[in-house]
Amino acid sequence: MQYDAVLYSRILTEMTLAFHILFATIGVGVPVFIALAQWMGLKHNDPHYLLLARRWTRGFTITVAVGVVTGTAIGLQLSLLWPSFMEQAGQLIALPLFMETFAFFFEAIFLGIYLYTWDRFKNPKTHLLLLIPVVIGSSLSAFFITAVNAFMNTPQGFEIVNGTIMNIEPLKAMFNPAVPTKVGHVLVSAYMTSAFILAALAAYHLLRGRQHVYYKKALRITLIPALVFSIATALVGDLSGKFLAEYQPEKLAAAEWHFETEGEAPLLLFGKLDEEQNVSGAIKIPFALSILAGNLPSTEVIGLNEFPADERPPLYVHYLFDVMVTLGMLLIVIALIYAVLSKWKPKKMYNKWLLRAVVLSAPMSLIAIEIGWIFAEVGRQPWILRGYLKTAEAATASPHVGTMLVAFGALYVLLGVGAVIVLRNMFKNNRAEDELAARGDSYVA
Amino acid sequence: MSLELLGISVLWIFLFGYLIVGSIDFGAGFFSLYSDWTGQKHILHKMIQRYLSPVWEVTNVFLVFFFVGIVGFFPKTAYYFGSALLVPASISIILLAIRGSYYAFGTYGSKENKVYSFIYGITGVLIPASLTTVLTISEGGFLAIDKSGVHLKLKELLTSPYSWSVVLVSLVSVLFISAAFLTYYARQAEDNKAEQLVRRYTLGWSIPSVAAGVLVFYALRSHNPEHFARMADVSWMFVASLVFFIAAITLFYKQRAYGVAFFAVVMQYFTAFLAYGISHYPYLLYPVLTIYDGFTNKTMAIYLVVAFIAGLLLLIPALYLLLKLFLFNRKYVKGME
Ligand code: HDD
Ligand code: HEM
Ligand code: HEM
């Protein structure tokens, strides 16, 4: 293959972000559930919830470590691979990037304290309080970095006069129109994904025949919030669609293979596209696209043909959007079945099929995160800064990107495999039941 | 004070912070490995773990803070350094990533693992060596700048006596700073055996750290005479640095007041690094980029400064809490909690 610095830079950026985002999502969501478990444990004086909090924390230290080092990598890579972009965008968007490091700092300090102060305070509630800055810090860092990404989609807060950037308004740039839906969707989907991951761990043990009430409590404390957050994710996702219709119509049009501007537009799920923009084999939901875009069947949705051919995103994003939405719906259904059974048919609540589905919910939500990001980022192409700077013009000219691609690929394999092995060993040889018994718990399943 | 100067001063302080906390961390990793080789692991390992475990993530944020900050205040550095440093910076990132994650894997995950501690120790000396290339390059002469962009002259870098002298000084300093801190920490922990061991390391690396510093001077004189001449203008600061060094070594030698002794080591580096920074001014990159032409727009600069002050108000109490709970808490340091 011919050496292509732009292509390789894109692949390397994608690879690092795709790897980082898994750990970042866990980093944002899991502290919330640790806090929830610890709070329940203290409130009801229940050793099961307290142990849950402890064990989740132990696993969390590993994912945080990988999140931190890959985050450091992406932070530097932005300057290494996209020097012109950072040089120009840096003047506009440095504020949230800079504030993000404060959020990390804050989070890192309190996480360090939290990890090493179990049993150290006279009042155990003090220890729980330490999680508040951790939760705030990680959610704020998600807020700031997502604001940067939102800016790339809807840049504002500056003017270009004779090729130079003028009249910069940092706050206007930071609070750009994409921020509310983007930040909202990213945050709730992170909480949701973390809930499903933790639920899947409990469901896995129940499936393997462990009957301890510890696992049942774990399932309950994760799946009920999972239901709430997955519905919230879909609702904010719907708002994101309305945002796109107004501010980035080409992304929505590409996601929906919607070529001509019209009202009463149907929503297409999957299907195939030929050269003449004809769609075959798709599931057609009448009016749904118009409703997604503006709540009314009559809403006019801008079509892709309004945009010059070289400013249209690749059309395969259609499948990404569909898979994300399908996964989102399935996940709601899984959490809903659990909730309904637990209320009306508690005997059936631990049936094998439901537990299997819950185990699957972890990979499903992680895939939805990955695919959602790829959709959002590829849907912005060919722009790196929509309307101002194209991706191809922003990459480094270095001849060594290919080598670095290989090196980082190896790094992520090493980190991924290492994390999985360490996490497995950590819990395989140290079962929750044994740990509870050692702490004097007398429950017998 | 101009905004440019304020910006660079802030970043400089964080870089110095990273220099100290990073050195402690990197050196500790190496000593831990070395003590394993010499069969003295049982003496050192536990103490090092107790210090490092709660703070490694915080150490890393110092670095992140610096590079995000410099791109924020001086976006042009992203262009020059970013274009040129792809390979060396990527090597640093990969080493940092392996080190950080395998440290966590080893500490929280499995019991004892030779591979983990080897990686942890060896990256401790490789990372400072690779990170300091940034400072080396900032002296100029290692970049080819033309229409197609900025390129690193790798051969010049690898064959320059100056560049190797900087690598040497960074390695020796890391070991010296780290040993000095650990000596202080061991006494806090009332761990006499460990104290004697790391005290020997401190004294052993003390003279080399000054000798390497002198070597850098000589190498710089031929590499960048302009910068060298400016350094000579602030030579009194280097004298001050030497005085701090002598004070520190005397105290370590007499086994007295290790807290003061470590503080003197910090001041030794503070004065030397400050003199280096002042004489480097106003250049970010000799001779093409100064802090004035690389600066961001004024509006953004003001916002960044405000954000920085607000951030500090949040961070300083938090850092104080961390230090109070772990570093200055006798019970914790001694391993009773
Ligand atoms: C668990 C993950 C997950 C799930 C189940 C969903 N999403 Fe999503 N979606 C994301 C995770 C995500 C994301 C990874 O967080 C993205 C990528 C970029 C962003 O802002 O959020 C995203 C982007 C994204 C965008 C593009 C926003 C933009 O580019 O500004 C839209 C329109 C939707 N989503 C809509 C939906 C709808 C209607 C869903 C229905 C259920 C849905 N998403 C489920
Ligand atoms: C964290 C979640 C994110 C993920 C998973 C992600 C993923 C991606 C993907 C898949 C692309 C590739 C587009 C293509 O193939 O054409 C891309 C592009 C890009 N993204 Fe994002 N992105 C994320 C957030 C961000 C943020 C917050 C920034 C900036 C601060 C950013 C900077 C970039 C840049 C510079 C590109 C252009 C390179 C390219 O086209 O591949 N991304 N991103
Ligand atoms: C281009 C995009 C991104 C950059 C430059 C970036 C940068 C970083 C950096 C430098 C760190 C390490 C901080 C430290 O040393 O403590 C980090 C970790 C982290 N990042 Fe990212 N990040 C990006 C994308 C994201 C996104 C989209 C999210 C949130 C959804 C996110 C959430 C986090 C979190 C929560 C951590 C802390 C580690 C953890 O708790 O797991 N990052 N990131």
Side-chain angles (χ1 to χ4, degrees):
Chain A
M1 201 157 74
Q2 177 93 27
Y3 178 82
D4 179 350
V6 177
L7 179 69
Y8 288 174
S9 297
R10 292 170 79 149
I11 299 176
L12 183 48
T13 307
E14 286 156 22
M15 198 166 73
T16 306
L17 280 166
F19 195 70
H20 176 65
I21 192 64
L22 298 177
F23 294 91
T25 302
I26 293 172
V28 172
V30 167
V32 176
F33 291 92
I34 298 175
L36 184 63
Q38 198 177 0
W39 179 69
M40 293 278 282
L42 290 176
K43 194 171 132 202
H44 301 292
N45 200 5
D46 184 330
H48 299 146
Y49 286 119
L50 289 177
L51 185 68
L52 209 49
R54 270 179 201 262
R55 287 174 68 94
W56 284 345
T57 307
R58 269 181 234 150
F60 185 60
T61 53
I62 302 294
T63 58
V64 170
V66 181
V68 168
V69 298
T70 52
T72 310
I74 184 64
L76 270 167
Q77 272 178 2
L78 281 181
S79 296
L80 296 174
L81 296 173
W82 309 99
S84 318
F85 167 69
M86 287 309 278
E87 185 194 353
Q88 293 171 45
Q91 303 194 37
L92 306 165
I93 207 63
L95 184 64
L97 270 178
F98 193 55
M99 288 168 78
E100 193 204 3
T101 56
F102 277 108
F104 284 138
F105 224 138
F106 198 55
E107 181 202 351
I109 290 172
F110 282 94
L111 189 63
I113 299 178
Y114 180 80
L115 292 180
Y116 291 90
T117 50
W118 288 91
D119 308 320
R120 192 153 155 198
F121 297 103
K122 282 203 193 71
N123 182 349
K125 285 213 184 78
T126 315
H127 187 237
L128 173 59
L129 290 181
L130 289 171
L131 275 179
I132 295 175
V134 176
V135 169
I136 294 178
S138 59
S139 294
L140 269 184
S141 61
F143 170 83
F144 288 125
I145 193 67
T146 311
V148 175
N149 183 262
F151 175 82
M152 295 164 69
N153 285 287
T154 51
Q156 67 166 28
F158 62 97
E159 281 168 55
I160 300 217
V161 184
N162 298 332
T164 45
I165 305 173
M166 309 274 285
N167 298 335
I168 292 161
E169 297 172 71
L171 287 180
K172 206 170 157 203
M174 183 164 140
F175 293 100
N176 58 74
V179 163
T181 47
K182 240 197 163 96
V183 172
H185 201 50
V186 166
L187 280 179
V188 287
S189 65
Y191 300 143
M192 154 191 174
T193 304
S194 302
F196 277 116
I197 291 173
L198 297 173
L201 293 174
Y204 175 78
H205 287 112
L206 286 169
L207 260 184
R208 302 290 296 266
R210 310 266 198 87
Q211 290 299 323
H212 201 289
V213 66
Y214 170 88
Y215 298 109
K216 297 179 179 166
K217 285 179 179 167
L219 206 58
R220 177 156 203 88
I221 193 185
T222 49
L223 276 183
I224 298 297
L227 177 62
V228 176
F229 287 127
S230 55
I231 292 175
T233 301
L235 290 179
V236 187
D238 177 63
L239 292 177
S240 304
K242 297 184 179 20
F243 154 79
L244 286 185
E246 189 173 345
Y247 290 95
Q248 267 185 301
E250 74 282 12
K251 198 191 271 185
L252 186 65
E256 280 309 321
W257 289 348
H258 179 71
F259 296 101
E260 299 302 333
T261 302
E262 60 185 11
E264 307 188 352
L267 191 85
L268 304 176
L269 281 176
F270 301 101
K272 257 171 75 182
L273 189 69
D274 69 13
E275 311 274 276
E276 265 86 58
Q277 304 189 337
N278 295 316
V279 182
S280 58
I283 306 166
K284 206 169 180 172
I285 311 175
F287 309 125
L289 179 57
S290 284
I291 294 175
L292 176 69
N295 278 336
L296 288 175
S298 58
T299 307
E300 195 160 272
V301 184
I302 298 176
L304 205 54
N305 290 344
E306 311 271 328
F307 295 89
D310 64 344
E311 289 181 13
R312 294 180 203 163
L315 290 174
Y316 72 85
V317 295
H318 174 67
Y319 297 111
L320 303 175
F321 183 67
D322 287 355
V323 173
M324 170 176 67
V325 174
T326 311
L327 287 172
M329 295 302 164
L330 287 175
L331 287 164
I332 294 179
V333 171
I334 294 173
L336 192 64
I337 292 178
Y338 171 85
V340 168
L341 288 182
S342 76
K343 185 131 177 76
W344 285 289
K345 283 242 168 38
K347 275 199 188 125
K348 291 247 159 93
M349 158 180 178
Y350 301 109
N351 82 71
K352 286 225 147 55
W353 285 105
L354 179 59
L355 291 178
R356 279 184 198 137
V358 175
V359 171
L360 278 184
S361 72
M364 281 163 70
S365 39
L366 286 172
I367 291 170
I369 293 273
E370 292 282 1
I371 290 193
W373 272 109
I374 300 174
F375 160 52
E377 296 292 286
V378 175
R380 190 189 62 233
Q381 302 305 317
W383 302 105
I384 192 168
L385 205 53
R386 181 177 179 270
Y388 293 95
L389 184 66
K390 289 202 172 155
T391 309
E393 296 156 6
T396 178
S398 167
H400 303 294
V401 188
T403 324
M404 293 305 116
L405 188 56
V406 176
F408 277 98
L411 173 71
Y412 300 140
V413 171
L414 195 69
L415 295 187
V417 172
V420 170
I421 292 177
V422 167
L423 283 171
R424 267 197 50 194
N425 290 346
M426 207 169 186
F427 294 107
K428 205 177 67 187
N429 308 325
N430 181 12
R431 305 187 323 155
E433 290 89 337
D434 305 338
E435 213 175 319
L436 281 169
R439 287 171 185 273
D441 180 70
S442 55
Y443 178 88
V444 187
Chain B
M1 197 183 213
S2 69
L3 274 172
E4 288 88 347
L5 203 53
L6 186 64
I8 197 69
S9 308
V10 163
L11 293 170
W12 185 91
I13 287 168
F14 269 82
L15 188 60
F16 180 72
Y18 184 65
L19 189 144
I20 296 296
V21 292
S23 291
I24 294 174
D25 185 289
F26 294 134
F30 182 76
F31 288 134
S32 185
L33 177 68
Y34 181 74
S35 68
D36 192 12
W37 286 342
T38 53
Q40 291 166 314
K41 181 162 182 161
H42 54 286
I43 305 180
L44 270 193
H45 188 67
K46 231 192 156 135
M47 182 188 80
I48 289 180
Q49 285 289 336
R50 285 196 85 70
Y51 161 71
L52 289 178
S53 302
V55 300
W56 80 267
E57 214 190 320
V58 178
T59 307
N60 191 56
V61 191
F62 268 95
L63 175 68
V64 174
F65 194 99
F66 175 74
F67 69 67
V68 172
I70 196 151
V71 173
F73 278 105
F74 305 98
K76 277 212 166 69
T77 54
Y79 178 70
Y80 285 101
F81 287 95
S83 304
L85 287 179
L86 178 66
V87 176
S90 293
I91 293 173
S92 303
I93 302 172
I94 291 176
L95 291 172
L96 273 171
I98 294 179
R99 178 188 172 80
S101 51
Y102 275 75
Y103 169 68
F105 294 172
T107 310
Y108 310 114
S110 61
K111 307 259 139 26
E112 282 293 300
N113 188 320
K114 287 259 179 229
V115 180
Y116 294 163
S117 36
F118 180 74
I119 289 177
Y120 188 62
I122 214 72
T123 48
V125 290
L126 292 178
I127 293 171
S130 65
L131 282 178
T132 42
T133 27
V134 181
L135 288 182
T136 307
I137 287 171
S138 76
E139 292 297 337
F142 298 111
L143 298 183
I145 302 171
D146 57 31
K147 272 220 189 70
S148 75
V150 183
H151 304 279
L152 180 64
K153 297 196 239 170
L154 196 61
K155 211 177 112 219
E156 271 84 345
L157 185 69
L158 291 179
T159 53
S160 148
Y162 175 67
S163 128
W164 288 107
S165 70
V166 173
V167 168
L168 188 70
V169 83
S170 73
L171 288 184
V172 179
S173 305
V174 159
L175 295 173
F176 177 57
I177 294 173
S178 187
F181 174 80
L182 289 172
T183 312
Y184 158 68
Y185 195 72
R187 175 161 291 177
Q188 293 281 98
E190 294 174 17
D191 182 342
N192 201 7
K193 265 195 179 154
E195 183 191 316
Q196 289 311 325
L197 185 64
V198 282
R199 175 175 162 269
R200 257 193 287 130
Y201 293 162
T202 312
L203 294 176
W205 287 110
S206 61
I207 303 290
S209 79
V210 175
V214 174
L215 201 65
V216 171
F217 271 113
Y218 275 98
L220 185 67
R221 187 157 79 167
S222 47
H223 182 80
N224 184 344
E226 186 186 344
H227 187 184
F228 181 81
R230 286 161 171 274
M231 271 203 187
D233 293 344
V234 288
S235 52
W236 64 272
M237 296 180 78
F238 291 103
V239 173
S241 174
L242 197 64
V243 171
F244 281 118
F245 169 76
I246 293 168
I249 287 306
T250 315
L251 289 173
F252 279 120
Y253 183 74
K254 296 197 162 160
Q255 312 198 18
R256 291 230 307 267
Y258 286 165
V260 180
F262 177 66
F263 181 70
V265 170
V266 172
M267 290 308 293
Q268 171 200 340
Y269 279 90
F270 183 84
T271 41
F273 196 57
L274 187 63
Y276 172 82
I278 290 177
S279 56
H280 209 294
Y281 169 87
Y283 289 103
L284 289 165
L285 173 62
Y286 269 100
V288 289
L289 187 65
T290 69
I291 62 170
Y292 297 100
D293 43 49
F295 202 52
T296 187
N297 58 87
K298 201 160 181 158
T299 328
M300 183 55 89
I302 292 170
Y303 275 90
L304 289 179
V305 169
V306 171
F308 176 76
I309 292 169
L312 274 194
L313 292 180
L314 201 71
L315 281 189
I316 289 175
L319 271 174
Y320 173 75
L321 187 67
L322 184 75
L323 293 180
K324 194 174 146 232
L325 282 170
F326 296 109
L327 215 48
F328 301 124
N329 184 310
R330 283 196 172 257
K331 262 171 129 182
Y332 175 82
V333 173
K334 278 198 231 162
M336 283 153 67
E337 281 191 41

